[in-house]
Amino acid sequence: MSLQQNISLKPYNSFGIEARAAQLLTLEHTRELSALGKSLTAAGDRLVLGGGSNILFTRDVETTVILNRLMGISQVKESPDHVWLKVAAGENWHRFVLHTIAAGLSGIENLSLIPGCVGAAPMQNIGAYGVEVKDTIEEVEGWHWDEQRFTILTNEECRFGYRESIFKQELKNKVLITAVTFRLNKQAQLNTSYGAIREQLAKMGVAEPSVRDVSDAVIAIRSSKLPDPAQIGNAGSFFKNPAIPSSQFLALKERFPELPSYPAPDGRVKIPAGWLIEQCGWKGYREGDAGVHALQALVLVNYGNATGAQIWQLSRKILDSVSEKFGVALEREVNIW
Ligand code: FAD
Ligand code: NAP
């Protein structure tokens, strides 16, 4: 465990926002959590960070930022069809995906190239190209700050939903995720339902894709469409895609026949937030150093020296204009500090 005082968080968030932390504690071993004793038990005392790729700092952190750098991958179980891997929360997500592919396992290849750490994956049940991480999670282990003990949540107890989990709700800031156990398939079970994946595989000349082909296709699509945080600050999709009641969808579809849609659970209809934002004229918009990405309206960007408050204000204006034009209330996906 190392402790530094008065540290800039700019290198620790993919938006590249300047904010300061009173203390930065780098966590490398789970035993350090019990050693911390009751020193960080009040929720306001701490903020846990993995890769900082899903957070917007709108102010300084007056207390302690805990940088999760718990490392290690181990096989805990094997059956004829599956392998269970327990992965420490500080492992880089994409490196872990590549590790599973190299081991001949399938299940998370569609989630290639998502930035961040393994410990944050259950937080919002990361998802992309028709796959959600919840379908491979067996259990999540964490340190419960109030109870001062390690706890294990089964998949069901995590209450996963669309970009949602118990860790963003009841257990928000109460549990530091220390490890995640994944159940992966020995036989490839590919999901190429997304048009973009099928098109990319065709472009690659692949008729019968392997797990690695699907991963390569996802990497190629993402690299061509999404801004690389190393080049331009962003936190991926800033808003969630709303799932609206079908009656509301039908009324909207009458007014806007081009409105794209996808089936969602409970008879609702998912509509792409990026399309709604684009129709309101925001795509490529720039206000100082805060902007909306020119290729993907769902991604807000920092061209250099935007403040978190400026990005937040821009997101407020976008929410208001989408609500006014479509009567749809967008929800922010990015965590706001
Ligand atoms: P952080 O930003 O460090 O933390 C996010 C939240 O989780 C914070 O509230 C933090 O306090 C909390 N947290 C982090 N670690 C822990 C822990 N160990 N215990 C308890 N709480 C914790 N997301 C998707 O779902 N799908 C995508 O396809 C996708 N694409 C992206 C593309 C780009 C270019 C970018 C920049 C982001 C993208 N994201 C995507 C968002 C982001 O990468 C994921 O949400 C990722 O899981 C965040 O990981 P992180 O370690 O960076 O989390
Ligand atoms: P896209 O292909 O332009 O599609 C726009 C939206 O339509 C997506 O968000 C997706 O919803 C939905 N969609 C498209 N095809 C679908 C299908 N066959 N079935 C169901 N829903 C479909 O999206 P994109 O922006 O390039 O992103 C591609 C994928 O990467 C998406 O899954 C997206 O969620 C993920 N991604 C996430 C983030 C993030 O930060 N959360 C950032 C970048 C990319 P879903 O989002 O529900 O899949």
Side-chain angles (χ1 to χ4, degrees), residues 54 124 127-130 162-163 193-196 221-222 225-226 235-238 241 262-263 270 272 296 298-299 333:
N54 202 14
Q124 71 158 15
Y129 302 99
Y162 180 64
R163 307 290 189 265
S193 59
Y194 257 57
I221 303 166
R222 295 183 77 102
K225 276 182 88 167
L226 287 167
S237 307
F238 200 87
N241 291 318
Y262 303 94
K270 181 175 74 176
Q296 171 51 285
L298 202 48
V299 178
E333 180 177 302

Side-chain angles (χ1 to χ4, degrees), residues 40-43 46 48 123 142-149 151 166-177:
L40 293 175
T41 44
R46 60 186 184 255
V48 182
M123 284 290 298
W143 173 255
H144 199 301
W145 292 102
D146 293 348
E147 296 171 8
Q148 289 281 296
R149 64 174 179 86
T151 179
I166 195 166
F167 306 106
K168 277 187 105 170
Q169 303 295 336
E170 290 95 307
L171 293 185
K172 190 177 163 76
N173 224 342
K174 288 190 188 302
V175 169
L176 183 152
I177 295 169

Side-chain angles (χ1 to χ4, degrees), residues 26-97:
T26 305
L27 180 71
E28 288 169 333
H29 302 284
T30 48
R31 62 174 180 273
E32 292 161 356
L33 285 162
S34 38
L36 281 171
K38 301 209 178 232
S39 59
L40 293 175
T41 44
D45 284 351
R46 60 186 184 255
L47 167 70
V48 182
L49 268 192
S53 65
N54 202 14
I55 192 157
L56 176 68
F57 288 107
T58 60
R59 59 194 164 95
D60 290 338
V61 183
E62 309 283 353
T63 53
T64 303
V65 168
I66 301 176
L67 205 53
N68 186 344
R69 294 295 178 261
L70 300 169
M71 305 304 267
I73 302 179
S74 55
Q75 181 170 322
V76 290
K77 209 163 68 168
E78 185 170 1
S79 75
D81 296 329
H82 299 108
V83 166
W84 284 258
L85 297 179
K86 181 174 175 179
V87 188
E91 289 284 346
N92 174 274
W93 174 261
H94 179 60
R95 270 205 297 275
F96 169 56
V97 174

Side-chain angles (χ1 to χ4, degrees), residues 165-273:
S165 75
I166 195 166
F167 306 106
K168 277 187 105 170
Q169 303 295 336
E170 290 95 307
L171 293 185
K172 190 177 163 76
N173 224 342
K174 288 190 188 302
V175 169
L176 183 152
I177 295 169
T178 51
V180 183
T181 301
F182 297 87
R183 193 190 69 158
L184 298 152
N185 307 312
K186 286 181 171 178
Q187 298 295 326
Q189 290 180 16
L190 304 181
N191 182 332
T192 53
S193 59
Y194 257 57
I197 294 191
R198 286 198 305 272
E199 284 158 28
Q200 181 61 34
L201 288 170
K203 226 189 268 178
M204 289 158 51
V206 177
E208 287 185 25
S210 63
V211 175
R212 191 176 293 279
D213 290 329
V214 173
S215 169
D216 287 346
V218 168
I219 291 171
I221 303 166
R222 295 183 77 102
S223 308
S224 70
K225 276 182 88 167
L226 287 167
D228 176 357
Q231 312 290 333
I232 178 166
N234 76 93
S237 307
F238 200 87
F239 304 97
K240 291 185 194 177
N241 291 318
I244 59 175
S246 62
S247 53
Q248 187 184 4
F249 169 71
L250 291 173
L252 270 178
K253 186 83 179 165
E254 238 174 56
R255 285 174 54 215
F256 305 97
E258 308 287 297
L259 177 66
S261 65
Y262 303 94
D266 306 324
R268 297 171 84 89
V269 182
K270 181 175 74 176
I271 50 178

